[in-house]
Amino acid sequence: MEEQLRAGLGRNRINGEAVEGAIELLKGLAVTKSSTYLLAASAALALAVVGCDAGSTPAGAEGGVKAKAARWSEPDRYSFRLLSESGERGGLGEYRITVGNGKVVKAIGLDEPARRTVEENPQDVPTLGILLTDVQKARAGEADVAEAVFAADGHPTEIHIDWLANAIDDEADYLITEYRELP
C-alpha cells in the first residue's frame, strides 16, 4: 500500500477513472482542459448565433436537462415557499410568503431565523420580483455567480448569487417551492 501511495497509484482520478502516476494525471488534465476550452468556445459560438436574453435563463429539469423558460411576469397575487440560505446576512431561514401587488402581504417564518426576521425585519422578506431584480443587479455588478433557474411556466425555482467566488459568506442561495398564483 505504501509503495502504491509513493507511486501515486489509485489516488488520482480523471472523469471518475483512476490513473497511475503523475505523468498520466498530467496527460489527462491536458485533455480535460483542452476539452473544456473547446466546449466553452462551442457554447459561446452557439449563444452568439442564437442570441442570448438575460430574461430567458434556462431551467433545470430532472436529470440535468435544460429547457428554455417561458417569460415570467410577476402576477398580482401569488404565494410560495422560500428557503433562504448561505452567507452571513439577514433574511435566512424558511418562509411561506404571500405577495399582492408586488409587495409581501403575509409572511410566516417556518423556522427560528425566519420567525425572527418576520418579527424584527419584515422588510427583509423578499418577493420573487425582488429576488430576480437582485440577480439582474448582481449580473450588472459582475458578480462571479448570478444565476436563476426557472420552471416550465417561467417562475424562478432557484436563485444563486455569489459576488466573489473566493470570498467567504457573501453568497445567497434561494430555493423556491410550492409556487402558485392566487385569485
Side-chain angles (χ1 to χ4, degrees), residues 153-168:
D153 71 356
H155 81 273
T157 59
E158 294 178 37
I159 292 178
H160 306 282
I161 299 171
D162 190 356
W163 286 95
L164 297 169
N166 292 329
I168 297 173

Side-chain angles (χ1 to χ4, degrees), residues 160-180:
H160 306 282
I161 299 171
D162 190 356
W163 286 95
L164 297 169
N166 292 329
I168 297 173
D169 296 332
D170 70 331
E171 60 276 337
D173 294 302
Y174 302 93
L175 178 64
I176 295 108
T177 58
E178 299 177 24
Y179 169 82
R180 67 176 186 248

Side-chain angles (χ1 to χ4, degrees), residues 69-131:
R71 286 215 171 237
W72 182 74
S73 296
E74 189 171 23
D76 289 335
R77 289 185 40 80
Y78 63 97
S79 66
F80 64 103
R81 189 172 181 146
L82 177 71
L83 175 60
S84 172
E85 55 186 8
S86 304
E88 295 211 9
R89 57 189 174 80
L92 295 174
E94 191 166 4
Y95 302 83
R96 182 172 308 284
I97 301 169
T98 303
V99 177
N101 297 319
K103 296 182 181 182
V104 174
V105 295
K106 184 177 181 182
I108 300 170
L110 301 175
D111 60 10
E112 187 54 38
R115 282 190 285 277
R116 208 171 27 254
T117 297
V118 169
E119 184 178 308
E120 298 172 7
N121 299 303
Q123 72 279 359
D124 288 346
V125 179
T127 66
L128 294 180
I130 288 171
L131 292 175

